[in-house]
Amino acid sequence: MPVLRRRLAAVLGLLLSVPAAADEGMWMANQLPELAAQLRAAGFEGDPAALADLTAAPLNAVVKAGGGTGAFVSDQGLLVTNHHVAYGVIQYNSKPDRNLLEQGFAAADQPGELRGSPDFRVLVTERFDRVTDRVLAAASGKKGLAYFDAIDAAGKAIVAECEAQKGRRCSVANMDYGAEFYRIQQVELRDVRLVYAPPGAIGKYGDEIDNFMWPRHSGDFALLRAYVGTDGKPADYDAANRPYRPPGHLAVSRDGPKDGDFAMLAGYPGITYRHRLASEFAERIDWGLAANVDALDALIAVIEREGARDKDAAVKYASQLASLKNGSKRFSGELAGLLRSDAKRQRAEAEQAMLAWLRHDGRSDARCRKGERCLDGAATLEHITGVEALLRQASATRERDLLLTLMQNQTQLLRAANSLQRLALERGKPDPKRETGYQQRDENLIEAQLKQVQRRYAAGTEQALVLELLRRYRALPPAQRIPEFDAAFGTDADTAQATLARIYGATRLGDEAFRLSKLGAEPAAVRASDDAMLALAAKIQPALLRLEQERKQREGELLRLRPAYMAALKRWYRERDKPLFPDANATLRVSYGHVAGFSPRDGVDYRPVTTVAGIVEKHTGKDPFDAPAPLLAAIARGDFGTTADPALNTQTVNFLTDLDTTGGNSGSPVLNARGELVGLNFDSNWESVSASWWFDPRYKRAVHVDLRYLRWLMDKVYPAHWLLAEMGVPASR
């Protein structure tokens, strides 16, 4: 090897974010057989090759549940997930005079289980098949918007074929930023009911003060049950439905984790960005995180102010408020973590080393695997330059784009109006030509979202949220302003306030029957509606469509150009005999590691397990450390039965591992070396919140509920013995 290349290899070996420990990685199931030696060395006692089979244990029990993950724990469709994943379901069943968010809930039997929110879904993955060649063939020779549309059309055709089998929800997942595509076939379960949830003072013990912190003492779990129609097929809620029979369920371990034990986690992590360019790291650190925190904190203040005036609004916005607070703290922690790890500098130096390697590598075809798209060094560099130009283009309107995103996803009535107007537009097209999210396959979910509005909307609160976002919009530079928005809302505070008061005072979209009537109405009638909110949505729709086309043009080019960088990165990893996992994208992934404490700073060493003693130590009698009296009494009695840790001689609560996780892994089952359920993932430590961008093995830890704490609560504190028996871990005698 020439001297220059040896030096570059040495630099890259230090700087590239290759796995610094065997435990880094959110692996696709089909990659796990390649990791057989590492898994066995880590302590896994099963067959690593079997983990690639999504239809076999343990992965056939792991499901996407709402915005997180869950796992079946019985053959009667009973599944366990986080309290915060099920929070919307709990909130949907709560009222000021029966606030299950505070009181908790335990069904006495299956007939006593409560209907879930209409838009909550459980997805059971059945197949995961590579369709790269078909998708990319459709886009061959195209650029920009044409490239995007070709990829989109190919994906829709694949999905339509897959969903010919009723009750299935299919998708095409993009791996490595457009390099690979996979068809995912899932059973879509739409009738999901609330079975058990501890009181909020257990499920959220410590709330935002303890969020992302260690030590933790949270019982962040809930039990749901999936139902199907009497014919055994997925169905909407009906009292006559029967429990779903899952393809598999996890065995609950009677033993608990201890320091150094092997641990494995399976779930649906949201999005990671570890393979992004240095310029994207820089923008995230220099602008994006602080901007998000500032915007979310403003919305939090609005909801808290309005909730203090209106108890009904406080209950309706409880789930949204919790999500905003979690997001704000997560972004703050992410910024602190990236600065602590000096990620901006390290990524920039790594990228420069990569570019130098490419310039001196010449043609690289010899290291291309069959079927891979590889370019020589010069062509790869040209593609990377193109990506950088597109990223600069997107940055020019980043402030505006953040506000528009929040205006869409943090409102109920305005979002409903926009959805109805867009659906009316799309219904005039052949189904394959409709926009993704507005095809016939999506109308059931749109209807469910319209139904849940009633329990998550208060007119005064939404007006206040929109006014705050418009205040920020008016402060944008003129180049980022949108004429249609200025015309619709006005260009000063008084006009905006008067306009919103008129629209929210006159609209009928707050009435569920009226909202649902627009689903089946003639598209022309919806578009010409004189309802104030629908008319507003019609007025701003041209602008939203124009911006969407600009985004697709840019995304099409990114899909075309980014794979060159990923192909080069894969070749480099291969030279070093290192496997490379794709950035997470809400598809099923597996991580492995160990139960482990950590040292966040000099003189501080954290053990990996907490006990009920910490609940008592933190208890103040005031929110968020107001432990319920039955819990404190049970701790004082010391009757922990078969769930006590034999070494500690007390009841454990939470534990740490060095598993690689991110948002979306909430509710992911944590398994021991035998594949038994020992924990439930629910958080990360403050020092590792930045792991979605940068993995630092010194600090990366995941926080889990010890399943023995769940069992003890359901046995001794808020009994549900029939559920413990169903899970195969009967109550102690």
Side-chain angles (χ1 to χ4, degrees):
M1 180 185 286
V3 174
L4 177 58
R5 289 188 63 194
R6 284 201 303 270
R7 289 175 179 170
L8 288 172
V11 173
L12 274 171
L14 287 171
L15 297 177
L16 270 180
S17 55
V18 298
D23 308 323
E24 182 187 2
M26 301 179 190
W27 304 100
M28 294 166 58
N30 60 8
Q31 293 182 289
L32 295 175
E34 300 177 38
L35 303 172
Q38 294 97 315
L39 281 162
R40 292 194 184 98
F44 181 56
E45 296 176 10
D47 179 8
L51 293 174
D53 186 357
L54 300 182
T55 65
L59 295 187
N60 63 352
V62 183
V63 299
K64 185 168 178 57
T69 302
F72 288 115
V73 288
S74 87
D75 63 0
Q76 291 292 306
L78 186 69
L79 68 93
V80 63
T81 187
N82 288 149
H83 184 271
H84 77 262
V85 170
Y87 204 70
V89 175
I90 304 167
Q91 181 270 328
Y92 185 81
N93 285 283
S94 296
K95 298 179 180 179
D97 60 346
R98 186 174 181 255
N99 192 341
L100 302 187
L101 294 169
E102 296 179 357
Q103 301 166 11
F105 176 76
D109 49 27
Q110 285 186 10
E113 295 168 0
L114 301 179
R115 178 180 183 176
S117 46
D119 60 341
F120 194 91
R121 298 288 188 270
V122 167
L123 300 173
V124 186
T125 300
E126 295 180 309
R127 294 180 61 92
F128 192 83
D129 302 305
R130 186 176 182 272
V131 292
T132 304
D133 295 341
R134 178 177 173 183
V135 172
L136 292 182
S140 179
K142 297 179 172 63
K143 293 183 178 182
L145 183 59
Y147 193 95
F148 181 96
D149 287 343
I151 296 287
D152 186 53
K156 287 176 180 174
I158 291 169
V159 165
E161 294 167 8
C162 180
E163 292 184 351
Q165 186 179 359
K166 289 188 177 181
R168 298 308 186 267
R169 187 75 177 181
C170 302
S171 59
V172 174
N174 163 12
M175 301 288 181
D176 287 334
Y177 303 102
E180 296 282 347
F181 295 87
Y182 286 82
R183 177 187 60 216
I184 303 172
Q185 177 179 306
Q186 298 172 308
V187 178
E188 182 183 44
L189 301 170
R190 306 191 301 272
D191 183 358
V192 184
R193 306 184 191 180
L194 179 62
V195 180
Y196 186 99
I202 291 176
K204 295 176 59 184
Y205 192 66
D207 201 12
E208 285 308 310
I209 294 177
D210 267 6
N211 191 18
F212 298 121
M213 297 297 175
W214 184 260
R216 292 294 289 277
H217 300 85
S218 174
D220 193 350
F221 74 92
L223 292 168
L224 307 172
R225 194 184 305 275
Y227 282 76
V228 290
T230 54
D231 59 358
K233 297 179 181 179
D236 292 330
Y237 173 84
D238 189 296
N241 286 351
R242 59 182 177 82
Y244 170 67
R245 299 298 295 267
H249 65 278
L250 299 177
V252 178
S253 174
R254 292 173 185 253
D255 302 322
K258 61 181 184 298
D259 196 1
D261 278 358
F262 173 86
M264 182 169 67
L265 173 149
Y268 290 83
I271 301 177
T272 58
Y273 310 90
R274 294 182 195 169
H275 306 322
R276 293 293 183 99
L277 272 62
S279 61
E280 292 173 281
F281 270 69
E283 181 169 76
R284 184 73 170 174
I285 293 168
D286 295 341
W287 175 81
L289 291 166
N292 273 277
V293 170
D294 182 60
L296 296 190
D297 284 352
L299 299 185
I300 288 167
V302 168
I303 293 176
E304 289 183 331
R305 183 187 71 228
E306 297 299 316
R309 301 170 179 170
D310 182 350
K311 290 185 178 180
D312 184 55
V315 172
K316 287 179 174 177
Y317 281 83
S319 180
Q320 184 171 338
L321 180 61
S323 177
L324 287 167
K325 286 184 174 181
N326 182 72
S328 175
K329 191 168 185 179
R330 177 168 57 84
F331 289 138
S332 297
E334 189 174 311
L335 180 57
L338 291 171
L339 293 173
R340 183 186 306 110
S341 298
D342 200 10
K344 178 180 170 181
R345 178 189 62 80
Q346 290 202 63
R347 172 56 69 198
E349 291 181 1
E351 186 169 292
Q352 287 305 309
M354 167 67 88
L355 295 176
W357 173 70
L358 284 170
R359 291 186 186 101
H360 293 86
D361 188 51
R363 293 199 61 82
S364 310
D365 298 346
R367 286 186 301 281
C368 283
R369 287 181 175 175
K370 186 177 180 180
E372 283 187 344
R373 294 184 297 160
C374 290
L375 302 173
D376 63 24
T380 299
L381 289 166
E382 183 180 339
H383 279 57
I384 293 173
T385 300
V387 170
E388 294 283 15
L390 291 164
L391 295 175
R392 287 192 296 272
Q393 182 185 101
S395 294
T397 58
R398 61 192 185 185
E399 293 85 1
R400 181 194 70 196
D401 296 340
L402 172 60
L403 294 176
L404 293 185
T405 298
L406 291 171
M407 195 172 293
Q408 176 67 5
N409 64 29
Q410 296 299 326
T411 59
Q412 290 290 339
L413 237 58
L414 181 55
R415 176 170 52 187
N418 284 331
S419 293
L420 286 167
Q421 287 291 11
R422 185 59 184 267
L423 182 60
L425 176 67
E426 299 300 330
R427 283 175 60 202
K429 306 174 185 177
D431 196 57
K433 298 291 186 181
R434 288 195 194 185
E435 178 64 23
T436 299
Y438 294 92
Q439 294 180 277
Q440 291 176 11
R441 64 191 290 268
D442 303 306
E443 291 183 11
N444 180 277
L445 182 57
I446 293 173
E447 180 179 3
Q449 291 168 341
L450 293 174
K451 286 180 177 178
Q452 60 84 34
V453 166
Q454 214 67 25
R455 303 195 191 188
R456 297 177 182 171
Y457 164 74
T461 303
E462 180 158 324
Q463 284 186 69
L465 288 169
V466 177
L467 280 171
E468 172 59 26
L469 293 171
L470 288 174
R471 182 187 69 79
R472 290 167 173 264
Y473 166 80
R474 290 193 300 274
L476 292 174
Q480 294 193 47
R481 297 281 287 271
I482 306 168
E484 292 90 340
F485 273 63
D486 289 345
F489 297 108
T491 57
D492 61 82
D494 290 342
T495 302
Q497 186 167 2
T499 298
L500 291 181
R502 175 183 59 79
I503 291 172
Y504 280 92
T507 184
R508 290 163 287 167
L509 275 188
D511 177 71
E512 181 177 317
F514 180 81
R515 280 196 309 277
L516 296 179
S517 72
K518 298 305 174 185
L519 272 175
E522 285 296 319
V526 176
R527 296 188 62 73
S529 174
D530 62 356
D531 178 82
M533 188 66 73
L534 286 172
L536 169 67
K539 186 179 294 186
I540 64 176
Q541 188 180 76
L544 297 178
L545 293 173
R546 184 174 65 252
L547 297 176
E548 181 182 278
Q549 289 298 99
E550 294 173 3
R551 173 184 58 79
K552 288 181 178 180
Q553 166 74 24
R554 185 168 57 247
E555 288 185 2
E557 277 296 270
L558 288 172
L559 282 171
R560 185 178 69 86
L561 297 174
R562 272 195 197 268
Y565 173 81
M566 291 307 303
L569 190 61
K570 286 180 180 179
R571 294 198 307 274
W572 173 251
Y573 272 66
R574 197 174 301 139
E575 280 194 351
R576 302 184 71 245
D577 295 321
K578 293 283 188 180
L580 178 69
F581 55 92
D583 265 327
N585 59 351
T587 56
L588 183 63
R589 302 296 179 92
V590 176
S591 302
Y592 68 93
H594 299 87
V595 177
F598 73 109
S599 178
R601 55 192 177 276
D602 184 49
V604 178
D605 292 290
Y606 283 134
R607 291 179 295 178
V609 176
T610 60
T611 72
V612 291
I615 295 174
V616 177
E617 290 169 357
K618 290 180 176 179
H619 175 69
T620 63
K622 297 180 181 179
D623 184 60
F625 296 107
D626 186 13
L631 174 61
L632 294 174
I635 294 171
R637 288 195 301 271
D639 180 11
F640 305 123
T642 59
T643 61
D645 185 279
L648 299 174
N649 197 32
T650 187
Q651 181 61 57
T652 52
V653 179
N654 297 150
F655 68 99
L656 288 173
T657 67
D658 56 10
L659 293 171
D660 196 355
T661 60
T662 190
N665 274 128
S666 292
S668 293
V670 182
L671 311 178
N672 62 17
R674 300 183 298 275
E676 299 168 333
L677 183 64
V678 294
L680 199 65
N681 184 70
F682 73 93
D683 206 357
S684 293
N685 57 307
W686 176 254
E687 294 79 8
S688 71
V689 176
S690 55
S692 57
W693 284 79
W694 188 264
F695 183 91
D696 191 329
R698 298 173 299 171
Y699 304 121
K700 178 66 187 87
R701 296 296 181 270
V703 186
H704 319 293
V705 179
D706 191 324
L707 258 286
R708 293 174 296 181
Y709 184 51
L710 174 154
R711 290 167 52 203
W712 178 67
L713 288 171
M714 296 176 68
D715 181 10
K716 303 288 187 178
V717 188
Y718 295 94
H721 293 173
W722 71 284
L723 291 172
L724 290 174
E726 184 177 339
M727 289 188 284
V729 282
S732 57
R733 295 178 183 271

